[in-house]
Amino acid sequence: MGMNIVIAGAGDMGYHLAEQLSYDNKDITLIDTDREVLEYVASKLDVLTVQGDSTSFEVLQQANVERASMVLCVTTSEKTNIVTAVLAKQLGAKRVMARVRNHSYLNPENVNYFNNLGIDNLISPTMLCSREIFNMIENSSFTEVFDFGGGKLNIVGITLDQSNPLVNQRIMDTKTNPIFEDIRIIAILRDQKTIIPRGSTIIRNNDHVFFISNKKNTESIMDVLGQKKVTIKNVMIIGGDDMALTTALRLEDHFRVTLVNKDKERCKWLAENLSNTLVINGDYKNIELLVEEGLEQMDAFLALTESSETNIITSLTAKNHGVYKTIAHVDTREYIHISHSIGVDSLINKKLVAANEISRYLKKGTVDAVSGIYGVDAEFIQYSVCKTNRLVKKPLRELHFPDSAIVAGVIRGDKVFIPDGDFLLQMDDKAIVLALPEAKLPLEKLFH
């Protein structure tokens, strides 16, 4: 008996969720009012579709919500999501989740009201996104940062250039450096392909390399790479919608934030709602203006306007003006894969961030957390070792792990390990596995 999941809303977020979940052999039904969108999705993914308004009983019954283990309400309308979630729960769905915009809904005291209505989780893509941006700026030397076990283990990504000591080395040759006892290369992104490295893999110029380390050794990755740690103080944000506001609110007590927006009225409103942010009214497409407002003194530049193209172009320009860290919000899935090759440090997409967060909730019981990486088709899955099966009787190299997966780290109580082939798992270990899609089924068999 598989898991039945109903997704209301077949936009980017619904599509991305359906795609992620269909890898896991779950039965998925998508509801949307737009027939063309549904036909497109059905041609790409193995899902059932129902055309209609998800707040109508007929449509929900047609989608069999009464048998659903989870109903994800992720249309672009907050009201539709809330009504759909409440009705689906009344009709018998086990769990329901609604995507919301209004931040006051997410105050802990208000979440309670929604729980009383039967809504199990609320999710706000903008809030999640601003959290991720904060994370990227805090750890600005890397393009991506994931932490596991409450920060005991870090996974960071960085693009290597010609000057890097690792370039043209085989992975096995790096082992002579004692630093590599606590740091391991676990994945390489090269020409939009994900490589799970073996000893004989050669690191190339322009590879985007992911390292895992325990917290205190994240610094030593910087040493290996000969990269200087830059502390970020001054941040410029362009944009002015919800995303720019939420991000400025999250950053303004930690950094000196300047926000540039072209609408005068909106600037007044932003200035009233932000306490430590310098709000400037001006056209951010005009680079002279940005330079006048201190672009060249900035350590980070966040392009959060509604236009993906503007965000990418202004980020590249900021880079040319010597800004250390640039992050562009990009709405179009197609662009995300090309970020590393076009020179923007980090691209972020709120729908993907939210879809990753949701698919964490949905993983089987043995799985505690999953993180997707932009442009990488592998994801980190955290499994718990919960039975004394063969997993604890043999060292890792004898366990027949699929080639398309690697055990990146193990959390055991308060200790963390970066295991090699001789490592023995124990009961209650949490194993962090980096897996390509085809490895997921064999892994579930191993850990189940």
Side-chain angles (χ1 to χ4, degrees):
M1 165 72 194
M3 210 178 179
N4 285 328
I5 295 176
V6 176
I7 302 174
D12 275 349
M13 195 170 152
Y15 181 91
H16 187 73
L17 275 168
E19 181 177 51
Q20 281 189 340
L21 297 169
S22 61
Y23 282 139
D24 304 339
N25 291 356
K26 298 193 180 357
D27 296 324
I28 297 160
T29 307
L30 265 172
I31 305 175
D32 200 283
T33 48
D34 185 331
R35 166 159 309 191
E36 275 181 20
V37 169
L38 289 176
E39 281 170 0
Y40 172 77
V41 177
S43 71
K44 297 264 186 242
L45 305 174
D46 179 19
V47 295
L48 296 169
T49 59
V50 173
Q51 190 198 351
D53 178 343
S54 62
T55 60
S56 103
F57 280 111
E58 294 75 32
V59 170
L60 288 173
Q61 279 156 344
Q62 220 180 317
N64 287 326
V65 295
E66 73 281 356
R67 292 215 308 278
S69 339
M70 178 64 126
V71 178
L72 303 170
C73 311
V74 295
T75 74
T76 46
S77 151
E78 179 177 69
K79 293 189 171 57
T80 301
N81 295 340
I82 289 171
V83 175
T84 303
V86 169
L87 294 181
K89 192 60 173 263
Q90 292 298 320
L91 287 171
K94 272 205 195 55
R95 294 188 63 185
V96 298
M97 187 185 279
R99 165 189 179 174
V100 296
R101 277 215 172 84
N102 183 337
H103 296 174
S104 69
Y105 286 169
L106 295 159
N107 295 347
E109 63 273 22
N110 296 345
V111 168
N112 228 352
Y113 296 129
F114 287 100
N115 294 154
N116 292 340
L117 286 171
I119 299 178
D120 300 288
N121 299 94
L122 292 179
I123 192 158
S124 155
T126 341
M127 297 273 282
L128 290 169
C129 222
S130 66
R131 188 174 82 192
E132 187 130 325
I133 290 172
F134 182 79
N135 221 347
M136 286 174 169
I137 290 181
E138 284 276 81
N139 299 282
S140 60
S141 330
F142 304 111
T143 8
E144 296 86 359
V145 179
F146 302 100
D147 65 13
F148 288 93
K152 293 194 189 81
L153 276 176
N154 274 357
I155 291 173
V156 299
I158 194 159
T159 304
L160 303 184
D161 61 15
Q162 209 52 66
S163 66
N164 199 291
L166 294 177
V167 168
N168 296 331
Q169 287 207 39
R170 286 183 310 176
I171 298 268
M172 56 174 84
D173 305 334
T174 61
K175 295 268 195 308
T176 54
N177 185 333
I179 271 180
F180 276 97
E181 279 178 25
D182 300 305
I183 302 173
R184 170 126 352 120
I185 293 176
I186 52 166
I188 297 174
L189 186 58
R190 180 182 299 163
D191 303 329
Q192 297 176 31
K193 281 204 185 55
T194 309
I195 299 165
I196 302 252
R198 300 286 165 232
S200 56
T201 307
I202 296 173
I203 301 164
R204 300 273 179 227
N205 179 29
N206 239 349
D207 276 357
H208 191 71
V209 175
F210 290 91
F211 294 88
I212 188 165
S213 72
N214 56 21
K215 198 76 171 176
K216 58 176 194 297
N217 287 302
T218 306
E219 295 295 317
S220 14
I221 297 179
M222 302 308 290
D223 304 340
V224 175
L225 298 174
Q227 239 121 333
K228 282 191 283 303
K229 187 155 172 61
V230 174
T231 310
I232 288 190
K233 295 190 190 74
N234 301 316
V235 179
M236 183 180 276
I237 300 177
I238 63 168
D241 66 357
D242 204 18
M243 177 86 149
L245 170 71
T246 315
T247 305
L249 277 170
R250 193 169 284 242
L251 297 179
E252 67 176 3
D253 297 334
H254 305 267
F255 307 97
R256 281 207 288 279
V257 180
T258 305
L259 190 145
V260 185
N261 181 275
K262 49 181 191 280
D263 180 318
K264 199 166 194 159
E265 281 308 302
R266 182 70 177 165
C267 282
K268 277 190 191 141
W269 186 89
L270 286 164
E272 282 162 19
N273 285 276
L274 289 161
S275 40
N276 290 333
T277 298
L278 173 63
V279 178
I280 288 163
N281 176 218
D283 179 6
Y284 39 69
K285 286 190 182 159
N286 172 354
I287 296 303
E288 278 74 49
L289 171 99
L290 295 183
V291 170
E292 257 164 58
E293 297 302 345
L295 179 65
E296 289 167 345
Q297 285 73 56
M298 294 295 159
D299 308 305
F301 179 86
L302 313 179
L304 307 177
T305 78
E306 293 82 86
S307 152
S308 303
E309 287 76 11
T310 302
N311 293 344
I312 289 174
I313 300 288
T314 49
S315 295
L316 291 173
T317 313
K319 252 316 196 218
N320 287 341
H321 281 268
V323 178
Y324 172 64
K325 177 83 183 176
T326 58
I327 301 176
H329 185 267
V330 173
D331 243 347
T332 333
R333 295 160 58 92
E334 284 63 47
Y335 290 152
I336 288 202
H337 292 294
I338 60 175
S339 67
H340 300 307
S341 46
I342 56 182
V344 177
D345 294 325
S346 303
L347 290 191
I348 187 159
N349 173 311
K350 62 175 186 242
K351 292 165 187 150
L352 297 196
V353 170
N356 285 338
E357 180 79 6
I358 290 174
S359 55
R360 282 182 194 194
Y361 280 114
L362 293 179
K363 295 294 172 190
K364 286 228 182 77
T366 43
V367 176
D368 308 314
V370 177
S371 296
I373 319 174
Y374 292 117
V376 175
D377 32 10
E379 52 185 1
F380 298 108
I381 309 176
Q382 183 171 310
Y383 293 98
S384 300
V385 179
C386 49
K387 289 202 196 66
T388 47
N389 54 10
R390 61 193 175 133
L391 278 179
V392 295
K393 298 199 174 78
K394 294 178 168 172
L396 286 180
R397 66 163 52 91
E398 291 171 29
L399 287 177
H400 302 303
F401 265 82
D403 269 351
S404 45
I406 181 173
V407 180
V410 174
I411 300 175
R412 180 176 294 164
D414 288 337
K415 291 203 184 62
V416 292
F417 301 93
I418 291 170
D420 55 13
D422 302 322
F423 188 86
L424 268 167
L425 288 167
Q426 293 181 8
M427 262 299 268
D428 299 327
D429 280 358
K430 292 185 180 353
I432 295 151
V433 181
L434 179 72
L436 288 163
E438 63 269 24
K440 286 191 188 166
L441 281 174
L443 281 171
E444 281 192 355
K445 291 202 178 77
L446 263 174
F447 279 98
H448 221 51

